[in-house]
């Protein structure tokens, strides 16, 4: 319930318009944390894992899949950069 499926209009290479399924965060869900600083986001990503693996591996996989489709997500790229460059800190 943290994400809601939504159909959206998108433009792809060559200007073609398509309908695409996306997932939008449900801001009223109790597990929604709101906006975090990049440092807090990195800490969460580095320490989170689910049944299918780590959150950090998910970020890398997502960006690899997007690159294969020639899609850029600047926010996710900034997150990957921060994961690679920000120092690891012990939990508070």
């Amino acid at each position: 319930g943290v994400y809601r499926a939504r159909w959206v209009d998108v433009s792809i290479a060559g200007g073609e318009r398509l309908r695409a399924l996306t997932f939008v965060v449900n801001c009223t869900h109790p597990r929604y944390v709101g906006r975090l600083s990049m440092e807090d986001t990195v800490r969460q990503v580095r320490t989170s894992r689910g049944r299918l693996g780590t959150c950090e591996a998910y970020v890398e996989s997502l960006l690899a899949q997007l690159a294969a489709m020639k899609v850029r997500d600047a926010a996710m790229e900034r997150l990957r950069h921060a994961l690679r460059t920000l120092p690891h800190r012990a939990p508070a």
Side-chain angles (χ1 to χ4, degrees), residues 2-91:
V2 177
Y3 295 98
R4 295 179 176 154
R6 294 282 187 262
W7 286 98
V8 296
D9 295 318
V10 298
S11 296
I12 62 171
E16 184 180 357
R17 299 206 35 95
L18 300 172
R19 297 276 291 159
L21 182 63
T22 190
F23 294 87
V24 179
V25 69
N26 173 1
C27 298
T28 64
H29 194 279
R31 291 181 64 188
Y32 176 67
V33 296
R35 293 209 182 268
L36 297 175
S37 68
M38 184 58 76
E39 291 78 11
D40 286 339
T41 301
V42 165
R43 188 171 31 262
Q44 287 292 325
V45 169
R46 285 180 176 158
T47 59
S48 298
R49 82 176 292 115
R51 291 182 310 224
L52 301 177
T54 67
C55 192
E56 198 162 356
Y58 171 80
V59 169
E60 290 297 334
S61 177
L62 173 65
L63 284 165
Q65 292 297 315
L66 290 174
M69 295 184 293
K70 296 183 177 29
V71 173
R72 290 200 60 219
D73 185 319
M76 292 301 293
E77 289 173 4
R78 284 192 300 275
L79 175 57
R80 177 175 53 194
H81 178 75
L83 285 163
R84 291 177 176 175
T85 60
L86 287 178
H88 287 261
R89 291 189 343 210

